[in-house]
Amino acid sequence: MRIGALLAPAAPRLRLLAGREELDRVVSGVMTTDLHDPGRYLQGGELVLTGMLWRSGAEDSERFVRGLAAAGAVGLAAGEAEVGPVPEDLVAACERHRMPLFAVPEDVAFAQLTEYVVRQVSADRAADLSALVDRHRVLVSASGGAGLDAVLELLGGDLDLDCWVLTPSGRVVAGPPDRLNEAERDQLVRAHLDGQRRRPGPSVRARVGPRQFSVLPVAAEGAGLLAQWLLAVEGDVTEWTPKRQQLAENLARLAAAERERRDESRRLRIRLADEVITLLQRDAPPEELSRALEASLAMAQTALDAPVPDSWVVVSAEGQGLPEGAARAALVEALTGADDRALIGGGGTGAILLVPEPADGGTMAEQLRTLLAPLEAGLGADGRLTLGASAPAASAGGLRGALEEARHARRIASSRVGRICVSGPEELASHVLLLAAVPDEVRRAFRSRLLDRVIGYDLEHQADLVRTLGAFLRYDGSWTRCAAALHVHVNTLRYRIGRIEELTGRDLSKLEDRVDFYLALELS
């Protein structure tokens, strides 16, 4: 702030006594002191507040003001509450050293004056940084340069304002990652997705443990909610000054410009992915598919210095209750940064992915479950995302079979309860695959025929027969182990199993009846 702002109508009521020609000086801080020589404690740019208790004679005024001028102070405000009106010798000393001097009436507290100056200095810094961010946004969009991290670092250092740009899966695009752990990122992403899904707006407030955050959407053309970046700012922007709020909005626009720049650079890569997936779906000859893969990998290696994958995993994905293209956009954004060699194509409500086999020993199904978990908050009551992953295919010739495997696995995922369900190839060799292929009406009839009377008995008598049946099958019909797990006497267990057999007309000592009950419970 300029020191002349102390005379503004909104400022505390001060009287200017000296230095009218110096009112354009910039104030960087405030210091309150009654030391005889405070110069050694000044860094330059301060407005000094004093009660004049250091003064015992006219010569003290000259020494005091000379020391302030030498140390770089930009102004002096003398309080009249302790020693009365400002003496003429202090006014004269300030005139000689070109030091602006203000009289502080006894009814104006130094705390009030300090608060006003600090607030003005902070607002001006925010305005300067806001202009910087705005200029940087123009440069980024015009030249394609990066620098989002540098701007956020500047804000953290100059305004003590910690900010992060995150993807919907919680990946840090920019900002200090060491100041925001994985659990905090997950909560912020979920708060953003849930808030924007319920009521789209300029920001969402989120409390994560003891920390308060404001989360702003980063608008990008064609990016639905599940693919939308977000700007997380520590603090509550609704309590900020208008200038500081403008800074947060400019940051969101800067992040949007960076997103658009990145998306533009990936357009050719996306077209190549579409070509590869189209060839795969058309069952093109392996040599043609291999050439398309090589072209895509050549671009990835040029851009990312990425190694050629030893094998690929095919993933089939489907969005239910989502706009067309939403599933693909969400998967593209989630996998960006995890592995940019991934190829994601398809149209409508689904997508097909070719992803390099995980190098960490985990499975692709596990990786996808972890990566996509935060997106659940943005799906809504009717939205679902189901995915099936194949076993790794070591060559282009094996990708067609892997695609069929992924589709079967996705059917298993779609038969489950949940908003985001992922199945892997290990489930294709179990009864689960057979159950997924059974029509819904047949599944319901089979389950009803075996379990409806047992469920009805439980509801009427609170008998816990269904849970007992599940435990009995889980412990392979062992009376002692099952009774111990249920914390009941063996005779109680025998009574319950006998009741189940009476209600259903089945014999749980027979393997075929046990299998039927097991499948019925799986279907429920």
Side-chain angles (χ1 to χ4, degrees), residues 448-468:
S448 175
R449 189 171 296 125
L450 264 77
L451 295 180
D452 274 5
R453 295 189 67 187
V454 180
I455 294 171
Y457 189 90
D458 272 353
L459 291 174
E460 184 177 353
H461 301 282
Q462 285 77 49
D464 214 14
L465 295 186
V466 174
R467 189 168 75 96
T468 299

Side-chain angles (χ1 to χ4, degrees), residues 27 36 111 152 159 202 230 283 305 334 408 429 433 453 513:
V27 179
H36 286 81
L152 298 189
L159 280 185
L230 55 135
D283 199 14
D305 194 24
H408 285 308
L433 176 60
R453 295 189 67 187
D513 284 345

Side-chain angles (χ1 to χ4, degrees), residues 15-18 52 54-55 57-62 65 78 80 83-96 101 103:
R15 302 193 314 278
L16 179 65
L17 303 179
M52 298 186 292
W54 44 265
R55 181 184 177 279
E59 64 280 3
D60 294 331
S61 294
E62 171 64 24
V65 175
E80 298 179 325
V83 298
V86 177
E88 287 299 324
D89 51 85
L90 181 56
V91 175
C94 286
E95 289 286 9
R96 284 193 297 274
L101 173 64

